[in-house]
Amino acid sequence: NAGVTQTPKFQVLKTGQSMTLQCAQDMNHEYMSWYRQDPGMGLRLIHYSVGAGITDQGEVPNGYNVSRSTTEDFPLRLLSAAPSQTSVYFCASSYSIGTGSTEAFFGQGTRLTVV
Amino acid sequence: SQKIEQNSEALNIQEGKTATLTCNYTNYSPAYLQWYRQDPGRGPVFLLLIRENEKEKRKERLKVTFDTTLKQSLFHITASQPADSATYLCALGRGLRNQGGKLIFGQGTELSVKP
């Protein structure tokens, strides 16, 4: 049981390049989210999904796209990388008990540097 | 806009003492509050969840209180050990099905327990 798997762990991009951060979970969780973590700012929500085919924006969605075609996968796409997107990215999944979600399981993170 | 603040960026205590971390929020009506632990270079790990209708939750040496009138949660680690040294994050969720997986995080408090 791998939990939440993120790839790659490290990435360096040049300004203007595009790339996809992969996230997969094997726990059959309906909820998945992407966060970015910058020093002194905690985790900020980029996009989230409440099920396959359903996504919504979080606090800082600009410059990022997501899609959720399966329950297991939730990739995050950077359309045209900018230095302001240098950060550590975390993917998380959680399940529902009644209404809303419960504890979130996080991946190990992707450390992205845009030069 | 909604805001979550954790009492300090860093907290230093002596081994064996009780560590108390604070999480305050404004402009938000959470259905539940969660606490996570994060070690350097790793993703957050869930510790405790407390719902809006609960005053206190305990798990081994951990205790969480939740006061929706004061809009505050206190997180206590009793008989602290150097292994408890980490960054602790609080997070709020609304408990609405269409917002499942959407958490708002504080900036974190870095706890250091000295032998």
Side-chain angles (χ1 to χ4, degrees):
Chain A
N1 199 349
V4 179
T5 303
Q6 290 184 237
T7 55
K9 287 188 170 52
F10 301 94
Q11 183 71 48
V12 178
L13 286 180
K14 293 183 178 178
T15 298
Q17 285 185 318
S18 63
M19 80 160 293
T20 299
L21 279 63
Q22 301 292 343
C23 176
Q25 54 98 1
D26 61 359
M27 298 173 282
N28 201 33
H29 287 171
E30 56 196 295
Y31 303 141
M32 295 187 75
S33 311
W34 276 102
Y35 297 86
R36 60 177 288 173
Q37 187 172 35
D38 302 295
M41 299 193 72
L43 280 82
R44 291 184 293 168
L45 183 65
I46 304 172
H47 286 285
Y48 65 102
S49 169
V50 299
I54 307 170
T55 64
D56 204 349
Q57 297 181 351
E59 180 185 357
V60 288
N62 292 340
Y64 308 95
N65 270 358
V66 293
S67 61
R68 185 135 178 238
S69 55
T70 67
T71 299
E72 294 78 20
D73 300 298
F74 192 41
L76 178 71
R77 282 182 286 278
L78 279 70
L79 308 172
S80 177
S84 60
Q85 294 178 305
T86 294
S87 188
V88 181
Y89 292 84
F90 288 102
C91 178
S93 74
S94 60
Y95 58 96
S96 172
I97 292 183
T99 56
S101 61
T102 184
E103 61 183 284
F105 294 78
F106 283 83
Q108 292 276 54
T110 295
R111 186 173 296 273
L112 175 69
T113 302
V114 183
V115 298
Chain B
S1 61
Q2 57 210 20
K3 193 173 182 182
I4 302 174
E5 284 192 353
Q6 297 189 235
N7 58 324
S8 61
E9 287 193 2
L11 182 64
N12 298 306
I13 64 167
Q14 206 67 30
E15 182 176 8
K17 301 293 185 184
T18 296
T20 298
L21 286 65
T22 304
C23 178
N24 295 291
Y25 61 93
T26 57
N27 299 324
Y28 200 78
S29 298
Y32 56 86
L33 184 146
Q34 302 179 356
W35 284 89
Y36 289 82
R37 170 184 173 139
Q38 187 176 26
D39 292 289
R42 308 294 295 268
V45 175
F46 172 81
L47 296 174
L48 281 169
L49 179 153
I50 185 165
R51 301 194 185 279
E52 60 178 334
N53 59 350
E54 297 174 320
K55 296 293 186 187
E56 182 179 299
K57 267 282 185 68
R58 291 175 185 261
K59 180 182 176 183
E60 298 172 352
R61 294 184 295 112
L62 309 180
K63 185 177 86 171
V64 174
T65 63
F66 193 15
D67 189 327
T68 55
T69 301
L70 292 178
K71 296 185 184 295
Q72 181 181 80
S73 174
L74 299 179
F75 177 76
H76 307 273
I77 305 175
T78 58
S80 59
Q81 306 164 359
D84 294 325
S85 298
T87 296
Y88 292 85
L89 303 162
C90 69
L92 301 177
R94 279 238 166 86
L96 300 174
R97 183 156 181 81
N98 66 350
Q99 295 189 24
K102 182 178 179 181
L103 292 173
I104 309 299
F105 280 85
Q107 80 277 23
T109 295
E110 186 176 352
L111 174 67
S112 179
V113 181
K114 304 295 185 187

